[in-house]
């Protein structure tokens, strides 16, 4: 299992984009800390210099496992479930515009808050229908490019659509696309899942990406989640995707990133199943 960390390519309001600011400085710091890659939060692919990004990523030997798209909601107000069809269409267009970047880096496209919320005057079932149609259209557009999409169940305080793993798996059934799966995030799971490890197990091969943050959304180890047990579950089910740190940059981004990688390596990430089983048994 490889480890990445979230980095925003543009200024963003989102609290848990761990690294923001100068790209080259951040990439060099992340590589020096020992991360294998970066998860790029991209508001709009039009705003990035793909050649520069590619050169820098290669220079520091980093992979790009995933592209976060939530800023199109946070900064531009786009969503798959807005009552205005123009806004829904713009959201679909924006996600499709990520496909060439995702294909270039072999990255998963994340559907987080861009799915939207159930707006006043809209029935939940109507919002779900819009969501399913948008996801089918985007998955279909991404398939010929070998690109996968991952929807993230997000806790109830941030959205009214798809809060937990069960709802995520039901949505997968409805969308019916083999390149559509889930991104599980331990911060949201801590709020919404009865049993985090059982939910990870139930999602199985449909987990395309994985976010780690502790119960307080600080780095793993700063709260009360049992990352030994969580990682052991991922190892046991032979998870082949990446684990990505998405946490509040406190006390500062570099310290939080160092604490995260230290903790997860102690628990066996980057090693083998026996290491992780031993460290899990140790507490
Ligand atoms: C994004 O990955 C996330 O976890 C959400 O909380 C966005 O607000
Ligand atoms: Mn997340």
């Amino acid at each position: 299992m490889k480890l990445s960390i979230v980095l925003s390519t543009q200024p963003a309001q989102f609290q848990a984009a761990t690294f923001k600011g100068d790209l080259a400085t951040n990439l060099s710091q992340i590589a020096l800390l020992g991360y294998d890659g970066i998860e790029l939060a991209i508001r709009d692919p039009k705003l990035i210099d793909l050649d520069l990004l590619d050169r820098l990523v290669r220079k520091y030997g980093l992979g790009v496992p995933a592209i976060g798209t939530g800023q199109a909601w946070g900064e531009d107000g786009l969503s798959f479930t807005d009552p205005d069809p123009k806004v829904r269409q713009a959201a679909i267009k924006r996600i499709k515009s990520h496909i060439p970047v995702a294909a270039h880096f072999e990255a998963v496209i994340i559907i987080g808050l861009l799915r939207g919320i159930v707006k006043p005057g809209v029935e939940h079932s109507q919002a779900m229908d819009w969501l399913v149609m948008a996801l089918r259209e985007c998955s279909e557009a991404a398939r010929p490019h070998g690109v996968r999409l991952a929807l993230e169940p997000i806790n109830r305080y941030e959205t009214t659509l798809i809060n937990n793993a069960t709802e995520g798996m039901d949505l997968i059934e409805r969308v019916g696309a083999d390149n559509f799966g889930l991104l599980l995030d331990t911060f949201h799971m801590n709020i919404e899942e009865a049993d985090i490890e059982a939910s990870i197990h139930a999602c199985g091969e449909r987990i395309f990406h994985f976010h780690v943050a502790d119960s307080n959304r600080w780095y793993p180890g700063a709260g009360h989640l049992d990352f030994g047990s969580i990682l052991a579950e991922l190892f046991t089910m032979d998870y082949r995707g990446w684990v990505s740190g998405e946490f509040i940059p406190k006390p500062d981004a570099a310290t939080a990133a160092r604490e995260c990688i230290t903790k997860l390596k102690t628990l066996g990430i980057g090693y083998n199943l026996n290491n992780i089983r031993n460290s899990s048994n140790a507490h």
Side-chain angles (χ1 to χ4, degrees), residues 57-89:
V57 164
R58 281 171 196 272
K59 176 173 173 189
Y60 294 109
L62 295 164
V64 180
I67 293 171
T69 61
Q71 288 172 15
W73 154 268
E75 316 282 334
D76 300 326
L78 300 186
S79 101
F80 284 163
T81 53
D82 195 280
D84 182 347
K86 286 201 209 74
V87 175
R88 299 201 299 275
Q89 271 313 314

Side-chain angles (χ1 to χ4, degrees), residues 14 39 110 112-113 152 154-155 158 183 185 187-188 211 217 246:
F14 180 49
E39 177 184 316
I110 297 169
L113 284 174
E152 179 177 33
I154 288 179
N155 78 75
E158 293 186 56
L183 152 57
D185 179 325
F187 171 73
H188 301 301
H211 279 168
R217 217 167 203 183
E246 184 195 53

Side-chain angles (χ1 to χ4, degrees), residues 10-25:
Q10 282 97 32
Q13 295 169 45
F14 180 49
Q15 266 193 327
T18 308
F19 281 90
K20 301 176 191 171
D22 184 68
L23 194 61
T25 312

Side-chain angles (χ1 to χ4, degrees), residues 128-239:
M128 284 300 293
D129 289 348
W130 285 331
L131 178 59
V132 169
M133 282 188 293
L135 289 169
R136 279 191 191 140
E137 185 174 336
C138 292
S139 303
E140 218 162 279
R143 187 183 294 106
H145 302 272
V147 170
R148 299 184 302 162
L149 271 69
L151 183 127
E152 179 177 33
I154 288 179
N155 78 75
R156 69 190 72 181
Y157 305 107
E158 293 186 56
T159 182
T160 38
L161 285 163
I162 317 296
N163 301 126
N164 57 44
T166 305
E167 290 169 359
M169 290 303 280
D170 289 347
L171 181 68
I172 283 176
E173 278 284 305
R174 279 192 68 184
V175 172
D178 57 0
N179 61 331
F180 176 62
L182 297 180
L183 152 57
L184 298 184
D185 179 325
T186 55
F187 171 73
H188 301 301
M189 296 186 92
N190 179 55
I191 296 170
E192 298 292 348
E193 308 298 333
D195 178 333
I196 292 179
E197 292 80 0
S199 295
I200 291 172
H201 188 79
C203 294
E205 290 185 349
R206 284 308 183 134
I207 307 175
F208 287 179
H209 195 56
F210 200 84
H211 279 168
V212 284
D214 217 317
S215 50
N216 47 8
R217 217 167 203 183
W218 281 46
Y219 56 81
H224 56 72
L225 288 183
D226 183 352
F227 281 96
S229 170
I230 290 167
L231 290 187
E233 189 58 51
L234 288 172
F235 271 92
T236 302
M237 54 184 259
D238 203 18
Y239 172 65

